[in-house]
Amino acid sequence: MGKPEEEEEEESDPVDTKPECEASCKPRCVKQLLAYEACEKRIEGKEGKHCTGQYFDYWGCIDRCSATKLFRTLK
């Protein structure tokens, strides 16, 4: 008993579109990236300093942008 072709196509491995969505959102988050890079340069060589806030701002921007695209593709 073979399966119809339609069912075989539906059972294929899902494709992770998150990396593509994140890459397409990076140009929208340049301001946050520049702030992070400026912080990194400013604290270079200084112990006990970090740029965690700027890092999370950058990835938060990417997450907000890519979430709308990703949720549209969910079934």
Side-chain angles (χ1 to χ4, degrees), residues 47-67:
E47 288 193 34
K49 302 287 183 177
H50 58 81
C51 297
T52 305
Q54 291 83 353
Y55 179 82
F56 284 130
D57 289 345
Y58 174 60
W59 281 102
C61 176
I62 292 172
D63 285 344
R64 283 187 298 279
C65 172
S66 61

Side-chain angles (χ1 to χ4, degrees), residues 2-72:
K3 293 182 180 180
E5 288 182 32
E6 293 176 17
E7 288 182 357
E8 288 179 14
E9 289 178 14
E10 289 179 17
E11 293 180 13
S12 65
D13 290 335
V15 177
D16 184 9
T17 58
K18 186 177 180 201
E20 292 172 13
C21 286
E22 287 178 344
S24 70
C25 287
K26 286 182 179 181
R28 293 183 181 185
C29 301
V30 171
K31 180 180 174 183
Q32 291 85 351
L33 177 61
L34 293 175
Y36 172 68
E37 289 175 345
C39 178
E40 284 289 310
K41 287 181 184 177
R42 192 171 53 249
I43 67 163
E44 189 175 322
K46 297 179 183 177
E47 288 193 34
K49 302 287 183 177
H50 58 81
C51 297
T52 305
Q54 291 83 353
Y55 179 82
F56 284 130
D57 289 345
Y58 174 60
W59 281 102
C61 176
I62 292 172
D63 285 344
R64 283 187 298 279
C65 172
S66 61
T68 57
K69 296 176 182 183
L70 289 173
F71 283 112
R72 279 188 238 141

